[in-house]
Amino acid sequence: MQIRNFSIIAHIDHGKSTLADRLLQATNALSQREARAQFLDSMDLERERGITIKASSVTVHHTCDGEDFELNFIDTPGHVDFTYEVSRALTACEGAILVVDATQGVQAQTVANAYLAAGGGLEIIPVINKIDLPAADPDGVAMEIEQVFGLRAEDCVLVSAKTGQGIHELLDLICRKLPPPKPAKTDRLRALIFDAKYDDYRGVVVYVRVFDGALKTGDKIRMMGTGRTFSVSELTRYTPHPTRVKEIGWAQVGSISANIKSLADVRVGDTVTLEIAPAEEALAGYEEPKQMVFCDFYPSNADPDVGSGRKADFEALREAIEKLNINDASFTFEVQHSEALGFGYRCGFLGLLHMDIVQERLEREGGVEVVQTAPTVKYMVDLHDGSSIEIHNPAELPDAGRIAAIREPIASLEIMCPTENIGDLIKLCDSRRGTFKAQRFLSDHRQILDYELPMAEIIYDFYDKLKSITRGYGTMDYHVTEYRKDNLTKVNILVNGELVEALSLICHRSTAENRGRLILSKLRGQIDRHQFEIALQAAIGGKVIARESIKAMRKNVTAKCYGGDVSRKRKLLEKQKEGKKRMKQIGSVTIPQEAFLAVLDQGD
């Protein structure tokens, strides 16, 4: 039996999961009764949002030209934030099906995923989906594919994943065109871990692609990266239902259960080998993902008065984050402490959607309620002594006297948009300190804009504004290219003369005053009035750049002075003024947690 391993890649919402459903039905892996929309999207979150978050691997069988073929395919996510999932899936394959929507054409993530597959040396089959829709333009899209990727327009396969049109022809082409797995380099077992998940009953379940040798139930295996050894208790293949097998052979894909209890024992990208006959060299793993967006997660009821309950909530959050991290290795976490919110975790993500998805998964799968702070980016700080440090939080910034320069991440941005929106998008990019690089024509109605933008300007609402300007037709892809020095500064927030480090931020000096005023106006609405006037200030170093005041609560001490000499009233007011002055010197301002949360939600 011949084997073909391939991934399905595309831009978000171009029909990958629906195409995977049709492939399962066409190969009789699913009966009509079992079939349901987006069968491989197992998470409720994936179904609700209509997006794929986790890659899913499946084994099916197909007969072509009188030969039996075993097809192992992986349905991958399409959003830019889940590129790491795609790269892991492509490493386990020899070919890729590039799906393009017949109504929308080539999009930003289509290009990114295609280059990822080409860079890995994979054979690409271009597929034009949704040809049954009235607005479909398969010929125009085929020409776009040829122009952008250099793949011949006549080689594009026309399918409708909704109706099943062209699916059997696609299966035959997969068997004929995609290359077979490369021959084994050694007779000793080498299997690449491309995914893992935590199961309450079986411990850590490891998903592998076998490159050399074979894996059997009862084998004693060793993780070459961590050095830990385990005994295989169960091997499973997905057809698409979990099926227990006694062996996973050369070039096949499946999962291992080996009573692995500790999450630290498994590392995605590690190589599995046999303990009694270990391989000499591990397989090439993955390039570590680079986290671009950082924020803090705290238990929602981290109230200092709760006592032991506060600790229990933090432990629950720790357990939920560790379990999720084994299932999604692309985010990082470390313990963080805030005077306002207690103990929590500083987490790094690949993008804003990734951050949003992780928060929802923590709440649903981990059963914890979390408070999420505003997202920030990573900065490189050059010091006068010649060294450089990396900071993820404004509170980590050294004293101004030690800083030679602050460098921020610069992203290379590729925007695909309708021609009529070019002017508005150029204005948007220029207002975000963007640098114009190039403008390319994709077709008569669509163009590509290449810009360089600071990552800090992208992470807030840039994508929302892009979608609004282009009425949903614009897409973008970005990757960080360098860290560049600019006129960046730290804005401190002072309440009654006291520095509140949790509210500090790093921004460009040109926007510092506006950002400071926005924070102070939110604080003013959240902090209760006291017996004395409270000054709210935003400052750069020793210079105050913005100020708001919360007026004092006053008692009308002159109410009883009806009639008589005005000096009596003046004397009482002066006496009250002196009391307020003394109270301000010794009084303290309590900032409620709601005030921190209102400020941390930095939507304009």
Side-chain angles (χ1 to χ4, degrees):
M1 181 182 293
Q2 296 211 45
I3 296 175
R4 297 290 185 269
N5 296 319
F6 63 94
S7 285
I8 305 174
I9 56 175
H11 188 82
I12 191 169
D13 200 31
H14 278 206
K16 296 179 302 301
S17 298
T18 310
L19 180 63
D21 292 343
R22 294 294 84 76
L23 292 176
L24 292 174
Q25 285 181 291
T27 53
N28 299 316
L30 280 180
S31 65
Q32 198 69 33
R33 180 176 60 84
E34 293 172 317
R36 60 175 181 172
Q38 296 167 343
F39 185 87
L40 298 182
D41 289 347
S42 55
M43 277 189 265
D44 291 338
L45 195 54
E46 291 179 309
R47 297 180 164 281
E48 286 172 20
R49 295 195 175 216
I51 61 174
T52 301
I53 296 168
K54 287 292 296 175
S56 304
S57 60
V58 174
T59 299
V60 296
H61 293 88
H62 181 66
T63 303
C64 175
D65 301 332
E67 272 193 279
D68 288 334
F69 285 83
E70 178 183 297
L71 307 180
N72 300 310
F73 70 87
I74 303 176
D75 176 27
T76 64
H79 195 277
V80 61
D81 285 5
F82 301 107
T83 303
Y84 183 60
E85 287 281 334
V86 179
S87 70
R88 282 162 35 177
L90 293 176
T91 309
C93 301
E94 284 79 36
I97 295 177
L98 181 67
V99 183
V100 183
D101 191 322
T103 61
Q104 298 182 47
V106 174
Q107 302 281 291
Q109 203 56 32
T110 314
V111 177
N113 286 337
Y115 287 161
L116 211 57
L122 275 66
E123 182 72 34
I124 298 174
I125 297 178
V127 172
I128 299 176
N129 189 24
K130 304 186 183 181
I131 59 171
D132 58 304
L133 296 179
D137 180 19
D139 293 338
V141 172
M143 291 308 298
E144 278 188 14
I145 290 173
E146 181 171 312
Q147 185 176 342
V148 177
F149 305 119
L151 302 170
R152 295 195 310 168
E154 52 267 32
D155 290 343
C156 295
V157 184
L158 305 183
V159 304
S160 169
K162 186 177 180 182
T163 64
Q165 180 183 346
I167 297 297
H168 284 282
E169 291 83 349
L170 175 60
L171 282 167
D172 288 343
L173 189 63
I174 289 168
C175 297
R176 292 172 186 147
K177 187 175 180 182
L178 294 186
K182 294 173 183 174
K185 294 181 179 178
T186 174
D187 57 352
R188 301 193 173 191
L189 172 67
R190 290 199 304 173
L192 184 70
I193 301 175
F194 67 87
D195 205 355
K197 71 174 184 180
Y198 187 84
D199 187 282
D200 288 334
Y201 302 101
R202 296 186 294 168
V204 180
V205 179
V206 179
Y207 293 84
V208 296
R209 149 78 195 271
V210 177
F211 280 86
D212 304 301
L215 186 61
K216 300 182 180 68
T217 305
D219 281 346
K220 195 166 185 181
I221 58 171
R222 180 201 291 176
M223 307 291 184
M224 294 186 74
T226 61
R228 296 300 305 273
T229 58
F230 303 96
S231 183
V232 177
S233 58
E234 184 182 304
L235 296 174
T236 307
R237 303 196 70 198
Y238 299 86
T239 60
H241 300 293
T243 306
R244 287 192 184 186
V245 294
K246 293 183 178 179
E247 179 179 343
I248 299 178
W250 165 75
Q252 293 184 328
V253 178
S255 70
I256 305 170
S257 297
N259 297 319
I260 307 172
K261 295 183 174 64
S262 173
L263 301 167
D265 291 335
V266 175
R267 196 169 66 218
V268 171
D270 202 352
T271 301
V272 176
T273 190
L274 294 179
E275 170 69 7
I276 55 170
E280 295 176 3
E281 187 181 352
L283 294 163
Y286 308 105
E287 182 183 346
E288 285 297 311
K290 297 181 180 67
Q291 287 73 32
M292 293 301 150
V293 177
F294 295 84
C295 80
D296 297 347
F297 285 152
Y298 296 95
S300 62
N301 58 345
D303 188 345
D305 299 328
V306 174
S308 60
R310 182 181 186 182
K311 184 178 179 182
D313 288 335
F314 176 72
E315 290 299 316
L317 177 61
R318 179 186 60 79
E319 190 176 323
I321 283 182
E322 286 181 352
K323 282 185 180 178
L324 184 56
N325 188 243
I326 194 67
N327 193 234
D328 179 0
S330 58
F331 80 92
T332 59
F333 62 96
E334 60 182 28
V335 176
Q336 186 82 2
H337 179 260
S338 162
E339 290 182 13
L341 302 171
F343 281 97
Y345 282 97
R346 182 78 175 167
C347 299
F349 308 95
L350 303 183
L352 285 178
L353 178 65
H354 187 207
M355 180 181 74
D356 193 23
I357 293 296
V358 167
Q359 184 195 349
E360 282 210 39
R361 291 185 68 186
L362 282 175
E363 293 183 343
R364 292 187 184 207
E365 299 170 21
V368 293
E369 289 188 26
V370 297
V371 170
Q372 174 188 317
T373 67
T376 60
V377 298
K378 177 170 66 179
Y379 293 93
M380 300 299 295
V381 181
D382 298 330
L383 304 178
H384 284 302
D385 62 8
S387 62
S388 293
I389 60 172
E390 182 182 292
I391 67 162
H392 303 150
N393 193 336
E396 300 169 3
L397 199 67
D399 295 336
R402 295 175 57 202
I403 299 173
I406 303 175
R407 290 182 286 134
E408 63 180 341
I410 302 296
S412 176
L413 187 67
E414 187 178 72
I415 302 173
M416 292 195 176
C417 60
T419 302
E420 65 263 24
N421 302 128
I422 286 288
D424 292 330
L425 286 175
I426 288 176
K427 280 183 187 175
L428 173 65
C429 292
D430 289 344
S431 70
R432 298 299 178 95
R433 298 190 284 134
T435 304
F436 177 78
K437 288 296 178 184
Q439 182 175 347
R440 292 173 282 157
F441 291 85
L442 195 59
S443 65
D444 291 341
H445 306 292
R446 296 203 303 145
Q447 295 186 33
I448 301 175
L449 274 178
D450 291 327
Y451 258 90
E452 277 188 352
L453 260 83
M455 191 70 190
E457 301 287 350
I458 296 176
I459 65 169
Y460 287 112
D461 58 351
F462 185 88
Y463 189 65
D464 293 339
K465 281 190 164 55
L466 167 69
K467 285 292 184 185
S468 175
I469 289 171
T470 61
R471 299 188 301 281
Y473 288 106
T475 59
M476 71 177 209
D477 181 41
Y478 63 86
H479 61 274
V480 172
T481 56
E482 62 172 322
Y483 283 80
R484 187 181 297 164
K485 184 172 71 173
D486 208 335
N487 191 12
L488 301 171
T489 186
K490 179 183 178 184
V491 178
N492 291 317
I493 303 298
L494 295 91
V495 176
N496 201 30
E498 295 288 329
L499 174 64
V500 184
E501 197 66 73
L503 300 179
S504 300
L505 71 148
I506 297 173
C507 64
H508 195 267
R509 198 173 285 269
S510 63
T511 61
E513 185 177 336
N514 289 336
R515 295 284 294 277
R517 288 191 186 283
L518 178 67
I519 290 176
L520 296 186
S521 65
K522 288 186 176 183
L523 269 182
R524 185 184 177 190
Q526 293 291 331
I527 296 178
D528 294 332
R529 291 172 71 186
H530 288 54
Q531 293 284 348
F532 50 90
E533 183 178 292
I534 301 169
L536 307 176
Q537 296 168 310
I540 298 175
K543 182 183 178 183
V544 175
I545 58 170
R547 174 183 168 124
E548 292 275 353
S549 296
I550 300 175
K551 295 295 183 186
M553 290 190 293
R554 298 178 66 108
K555 180 183 178 183
N556 187 2
V557 294
T558 62
K560 59 186 177 185
C561 298
Y562 50 89
D565 191 354
V566 72
S567 61
R568 289 180 63 204
K569 291 184 179 180
R570 191 176 296 122
K571 185 178 178 182
L572 284 171
L573 290 172
E574 287 295 327
K575 190 176 179 182
Q576 186 190 48
K577 185 177 176 183
E578 286 296 319
K580 297 279 183 188
K581 188 176 179 182
R582 284 198 304 272
M583 194 183 294
K584 186 173 184 178
Q585 289 173 346
I586 62 172
S588 61
V589 179
T590 302
I591 306 175
Q593 184 174 322
E594 291 76 17
F596 284 91
L597 301 184
V599 171
L600 293 169
D601 178 20
Q602 293 185 10
D604 293 339

